[in-house]
Amino acid sequence: MTNTSARPPVVVIAPDSFKGSLTAEEVASAIGGGIQAAIPGAQIRLRPIADGGEGTLDALMHAGGERLAISCRNAAGQFVDAPVGILKDGSAVIESAAIVGLTDAAGTSVPVEQRSTLGVGDAMLKLLDRGARHFLVGLGGSSTNDGGAGLLAALGVKFFDAAGETVPPRPADLHKVARVDASGVDARIRDARIVAMSDVDNPLCGEVGATAIFGPQKGVTPEQVAQLDRSLGHFAEVLEQAMGRSASGQPGAGAAGGLGYALLMLGAEFRSGAETVADHIGLDDALAGADWLITGEGRSDAQTLHGKAPFIASQRARRVGVPTTLLSGGIDRKSLDELQGSFSGCFSIVFGPGSLQDAIAGAPELLRASAEQIARLWQTAAAAGK
């Protein structure tokens, strides 16, 4: 641990959001308040982070840029105003969860087999109109399972059945697709660079594909899995023949119900969402000369170590010798041994038994109080090490 006797400690705070409770920026601010209560002279560097899912746009915009509200279709096909962003370097940010998200009551008011990613394509078109040619597309938290057919349709791809009738780009109808006309794809897409942000490496179809693994959390019933999976496979076969490329078996094709597949078919590159966000928010610069990193999320378990934002933050801190503390809403006790290999202490903000509703409502104060107590412990350890 760095000797802090000559100067106040530099503390980097880089949490993910507490989903359903606080944004990553609100979490970071609350933790910062607790640290300053215990160590008034501490230099706080706030770097809220995300991994490609809910909160990715907020985390990226924290570093600066222009936030926009654009009209696009939600998962149910209703036009809504959804947030997107333009970063200082001109990169356009689309957060799928903000357009076709699982927490959108209106978008999920129809069954999963009727939902579509048309709105993500709407957003991309409108950003193209504004001159964007570099896209960062967050894929986490979607409610759709359409193989990205909606995105492709919005960008100009047409789907037809055996009788030549137009086929709607939704899971319930993909088995009808007999011909694809990709000649109308917006020409500007060919000049665009698309980065798909996700920590998912699943293929489009099969036992570890989009429908089998992620479908149930979106409303796919056990009886529907095989049927919808076959429909996606059929859709991909016809699409790939028309477009002259193959992507259904590539890692990440199964992300966001196959939205990842459609982006791959458009030439996208896949990157870890947390790594991409960390680069854009300047996490490495913030860690330079720092004494301590605090990160966290709503709930931490073994999955945290598979590319989630707190893990990526801790790995970057480790490279420069900065110790990392994990402060999350909840910690899975069975995962503690694994988590402790990446974090110098894992803490929950909950002080005792209580309801989830109370924890969500009191999250800001719980975070401040927990951060203050951890900071007091850290300060005592630092003093003992002088």
Side-chain angles (χ1 to χ4, degrees):
M1 183 176 294
T2 302
N3 189 320
T4 61
S5 58
R7 59 168 175 78
V10 176
V11 185
V12 179
I13 302 175
D16 199 347
S17 63
F18 280 29
K19 293 176 178 58
S21 179
L22 299 173
T23 67
E25 188 168 3
E26 290 170 336
V27 174
S29 179
I31 293 173
I35 299 300
Q36 290 183 318
I39 314 173
Q43 180 183 338
I44 305 296
R45 298 174 181 173
L46 301 182
R47 294 294 187 277
I49 195 170
D51 59 14
E54 181 183 344
T56 295
L57 175 62
D58 288 338
L60 287 168
M61 296 309 296
H62 182 78
E66 180 184 7
R67 186 187 293 267
L68 308 168
I70 60 171
S71 177
C72 58
R73 284 166 281 193
N74 65 12
Q78 305 157 341
F79 277 93
V80 296
D81 287 334
V84 296
I86 304 288
L87 302 183
K88 290 180 178 178
D89 65 2
S91 301
V93 182
I94 297 174
E95 182 184 305
S96 299
I99 300 173
V100 293
L102 194 57
T103 59
D104 176 24
T108 56
S109 63
V110 300
V112 63
E113 63 269 22
Q114 301 295 329
R115 299 176 202 155
S116 165
T117 53
L118 281 163
V120 183
D122 294 337
M124 188 169 285
L125 278 178
K126 293 192 176 181
L127 289 165
L128 283 168
D129 290 342
R130 293 182 63 91
R133 295 296 182 270
H134 180 201
F135 293 88
L136 302 175
V137 185
L139 296 181
S142 80
S143 69
T144 50
N145 199 76
D146 70 345
L151 166 77
L152 295 173
L155 294 176
V157 179
K158 298 178 181 178
F159 309 111
F160 302 97
D161 63 17
E165 298 295 324
T166 300
V167 176
R170 56 194 184 194
D173 297 288
L174 293 182
H175 69 283
K176 302 175 185 176
V177 176
R179 183 172 67 88
V180 172
D181 180 0
S183 64
V185 173
D186 194 299
R188 296 171 296 180
I189 289 293
R190 300 189 185 97
D191 299 324
R193 180 190 173 208
I194 305 171
V195 175
M197 298 184 291
S198 175
D199 59 1
V200 167
D201 60 4
N202 304 68
L204 179 64
C205 301
E207 293 182 357
V208 292
T211 309
I213 300 300
F214 306 110
Q217 70 189 37
K218 304 177 185 190
V220 176
T221 66
E223 296 75 24
Q224 289 178 305
V225 170
Q227 174 191 347
L228 293 179
D229 187 61
R230 283 194 299 270
S231 293
L232 283 183
H234 168 76
F235 165 70
E237 182 178 352
V238 180
L239 180 68
E240 291 179 0
Q241 288 176 352
M243 297 187 70
R245 67 191 306 170
S246 177
S248 61
Q250 290 187 29
L259 181 57
Y261 167 67
L263 292 174
L264 285 168
M265 291 295 289
L266 294 174
E269 66 173 289
F270 259 71
R271 281 205 71 202
S272 157
E275 295 279 15
T276 304
V277 172
D279 286 343
H280 279 272
I281 66 174
L283 181 59
D284 290 343
D285 290 341
L287 288 167
D291 300 290
W292 188 18
L293 168 70
I294 303 177
T295 185
E297 60 191 334
R299 184 178 188 275
S300 296
D301 55 26
Q303 288 301 309
T304 297
L305 305 178
H306 293 275
K308 298 296 186 183
F311 175 72
I312 296 301
S314 74
Q315 291 296 97
R316 295 202 172 202
R318 177 173 289 186
R319 291 176 201 160
V320 292
V322 176
T324 302
T325 295
L326 181 70
L327 178 59
S328 294
I331 303 284
D332 176 29
R333 289 183 61 188
K334 295 179 181 178
S335 301
L336 264 179
D337 287 345
E338 294 176 78
L339 291 169
Q340 288 169 170
S342 298
F343 302 99
S344 301
C346 304
F347 300 88
S348 166
I349 67 170
V350 181
F351 282 80
S355 70
L356 176 61
Q357 290 75 19
D358 288 343
I360 290 173
E365 182 52 40
L366 289 169
L367 277 163
R368 280 191 291 269
S370 297
E372 180 179 351
Q373 297 310 309
I374 293 170
R376 292 186 183 283
L377 175 63
W378 186 90
Q379 190 176 39
T380 300
K386 291 179 181 178

